[in-house]
Amino acid sequence: MKISPASHVRGTIRLPGDKSISHRAAMLSAMAVGETRIDNFASAEDCASTISCLRSLGVAIERAGNTVVINGVGKTGFFPPAGPLDCGNSGTTMRLLSGIVAGQDFPCVLIGDESLQMRPMKRIIGPLTEMGAAITSNDGRAPLSISGKNPLTAIEYRPPVASAQIKSCVLLAGLNADGETTVIETVQTRDHTERMLRWFGVDVAATETEGGLRITVSGDAVLTSRDLIVPSDISSAAFFMVAAACLRGSDIVLPNVGFNASRAAIFDVLGDLGANMRLTGQREVNNEPVATIRTQGGISAAKTPRANLVNGPTVANLVDEVPILAVFGTQIDGGIEIRDAAELRVKESDRIAAIVENLRRMGATVEEFPDGLKVERSDLAGAVIDSFGDHRIAMAFAVAGLLASGETEITRAECADISFPGFFDTLASITDA
Ligand code: S3P
């Protein structure tokens, strides 16, 4: 895919439904009793993987465009699949679904593509084994063979890394356990699972304690179907926020974007770094905060001297936006330093290495650390970019291409479909060279 420099971006973009929320909407509707209609379901390929796995588990699902209707089977009504459950590229599908199948009385196998087979699964094998599931793997990686059990043993679990996927996996397994299952978070991660469980009528306790946030579900819980609308994806919005902020004369409006505090740190961080952004129409849609985000071109001075260092718990709340944040860093005084982000090394690619490599290809001055990177303010030059088959790398560097001098070429750019089919067409539609 070739990207030419742009002078500005303008327009109103209705972004696809949130990927994280769509996965949960599909899985929890499947575990509910009754029929659920989901509107604005993500067009992301990852969410199609979730739908296809649920169908293999005997769930009747109708899909017409972005409307999905799911006939819930209840917490234990799934059927043994005829073959392996293919999670494609999707870590969320594999980790959350593992929590669900661990509580079923049958065995199944979860597989994934080359990237997913490289990703760490011990983090869910550990707690699920403690709960009574029997799991074999390829030394802690997929394929995973899970022999489920019902009921599982309720546990109290403190994830060793900040991860919404681990938390959600254990909570979903907890719905089929013999008592109360608690996850203790010292760093808070996205809470979409908790919010959606409540939407489906489940009592989820979340209590702040000295040791962290204790989140508890009961094995007695019953999920009751209830229609919902998925907000647009803030992780997709971030690419357009950065493009608009960096190009003078830009004006981009993004309506109905999910603005959950555990996901929206990118908005505050860009604002603190001088981006010109405004929020309107804040409201809640099925327990999820939503807002319209408007970004106009031009960056002022950073609001605080510390703004150029992004680290600590903030990182968990913009974990998927780090690639585009690094690109933003090339455009601001003082650049940007991102630390405490070692988890990025085990995403769809080693994102730290991928960002550093590609920023250098574009002529930026970058330092790499085990847990992050530091990039100076740099003039970017068009280059051949290796997406490493990672959707967020492909899209972040497409935006970098708009800001660069000369043409940029992104390899294997079709991987953008993992979270945002149509991304390049959308980008072209708002770009005025
Ligand atoms: C996700 C959680 C995050 C995020 C991923 C989606 C989720 O992963 O990076 O894109 O939907 O729960 P981790 O839980 O591994 O941090």
Side-chain angles (χ1 to χ4, degrees):
M1 175 65 63
K2 295 208 161 87
I3 306 285
S4 301
S7 63
H8 56 257
V9 287
R10 279 195 198 139
T12 297
I13 311 170
R14 296 199 174 268
L15 294 163
D18 187 274
K19 183 159 81 76
S20 284
I21 296 175
S22 296
H23 283 302
R24 288 156 173 83
M27 291 186 203
L28 296 189
S29 319
M31 292 181 96
V33 178
E35 187 182 277
T36 298
R37 175 192 162 109
I38 308 164
D39 282 310
N40 202 34
F41 190 84
S43 51
E45 277 181 1
D46 271 2
C47 298
S49 294
T50 288
I51 296 273
S52 111
C53 289
L54 291 171
R55 282 185 174 138
S56 302
L57 287 163
V59 183
I61 303 179
E62 278 167 49
R63 180 166 192 173
N66 297 332
T67 298
V68 173
V69 178
I70 299 191
N71 255 289
V73 294
K75 290 191 301 183
T76 54
F78 297 94
F79 281 95
L85 300 172
D86 188 353
C87 303
N89 189 247
S90 175
T92 310
T93 306
M94 184 167 281
R95 296 194 177 115
L96 270 58
L97 205 57
S98 293
I100 296 175
V101 297
Q104 312 298 317
D105 261 329
F106 53 75
C108 64
V109 177
L110 285 83
I111 60 171
D113 71 6
E114 224 176 282
S115 152
L116 188 51
Q117 283 182 57
M118 299 286 292
R119 298 181 64 186
M121 292 298 152
K122 277 193 184 141
R123 50 182 63 191
I124 57 154
I125 296 173
L128 292 179
T129 304
E130 205 183 310
M131 294 178 87
I135 306 181
T136 59
S137 68
N138 178 16
D139 195 21
R141 297 173 206 281
L144 303 181
S145 296
I146 303 185
S147 285
K149 185 182 155 203
N150 195 282
L152 292 164
T153 307
I155 60 166
E156 184 171 294
Y157 192 69
R158 190 183 283 273
V161 290
S163 162
Q165 294 179 356
I166 303 178
K167 167 178 65 177
S168 302
C169 170
V170 175
L171 292 177
L172 293 179
L175 295 172
N176 277 316
D178 59 0
E180 292 199 334
T181 292
T182 298
V183 176
I184 305 160
E185 278 198 316
T186 40
V187 172
Q188 286 181 30
T189 63
R190 62 191 70 190
D191 63 355
H192 302 307
T193 302
E194 298 91 304
R195 285 170 181 270
M196 198 170 293
L197 280 169
R198 291 186 190 114
W199 181 252
F200 284 109
V202 175
D203 188 16
V204 184
T207 324
E208 290 277 7
T209 66
E210 260 181 30
L213 181 67
R214 297 176 61 89
I215 306 150
T216 301
V217 293
S218 164
D220 293 336
V222 174
L223 288 78
T224 308
S225 62
R226 196 169 170 201
D227 294 351
L228 52 92
I229 305 170
V230 179
S232 291
D233 198 319
I234 190 159
S235 298
S236 301
F239 301 111
F240 300 98
M241 287 151 63
V242 168
C246 295
L247 293 167
R248 288 201 166 278
S250 294
D251 192 354
I252 289 286
V253 177
L254 307 165
N256 298 322
V257 178
F259 206 77
N260 179 320
S262 64
R263 288 284 297 287
I266 187 69
F267 181 88
D268 293 332
V269 167
L270 292 177
D272 287 348
L273 286 167
N276 180 3
M277 294 186 305
R278 233 175 333 136
L279 216 55
T280 54
Q282 286 165 275
R283 61 193 195 288
E284 282 217 348
V285 176
N286 34 259
N287 283 353
E288 285 284 351
V290 168
T292 293
I293 302 172
R294 180 174 184 186
T295 312
Q296 288 172 291
I299 303 169
S300 354
K303 287 190 184 139
T304 70
R306 301 274 299 157
N308 300 63
L309 174 64
V310 178
N311 63 352
T314 306
V315 175
N317 298 337
L318 49 67
V319 66
D320 294 331
E321 289 69 71
V322 168
I324 191 63
L325 186 57
V327 169
F328 185 73
T330 65
Q331 307 297 303
I332 53 172
D333 286 339
I336 203 161
E337 181 170 351
I338 302 166
R339 301 300 289 264
D340 302 318
E343 268 296 298
L344 265 83
R345 295 212 180 264
V346 291
K347 295 289 179 189
E348 287 83 329
S349 69
D350 175 344
R351 285 190 176 153
I352 307 249
I355 296 166
V356 169
E357 163 72 22
N358 285 317
L359 284 177
R360 285 191 179 139
R361 287 189 191 191
M362 298 187 88
T365 305
V366 198
E367 201 179 335
E368 180 172 358
F369 305 108
D371 69 337
L373 58 96
K374 183 176 181 188
V375 59
E376 307 295 334
R377 179 174 193 138
S378 311
D379 287 330
L380 298 179
V384 177
I385 295 299
D386 190 343
S387 69
F388 296 91
D390 182 329
H391 55 125
R392 301 215 191 272
I393 298 298
M395 293 187 279
F397 282 88
V399 172
L402 300 180
L403 313 178
S405 58
E407 196 171 75
T408 292
E409 187 177 343
I410 317 258
T411 62
R412 290 194 278 162
E414 66 284 353
C415 64
D417 292 358
I418 286 296
S419 60
F420 192 164
F423 169 79
F424 290 100
D425 290 340
T426 302
L427 197 63
S429 75
I430 55 158
T431 304
D432 186 357

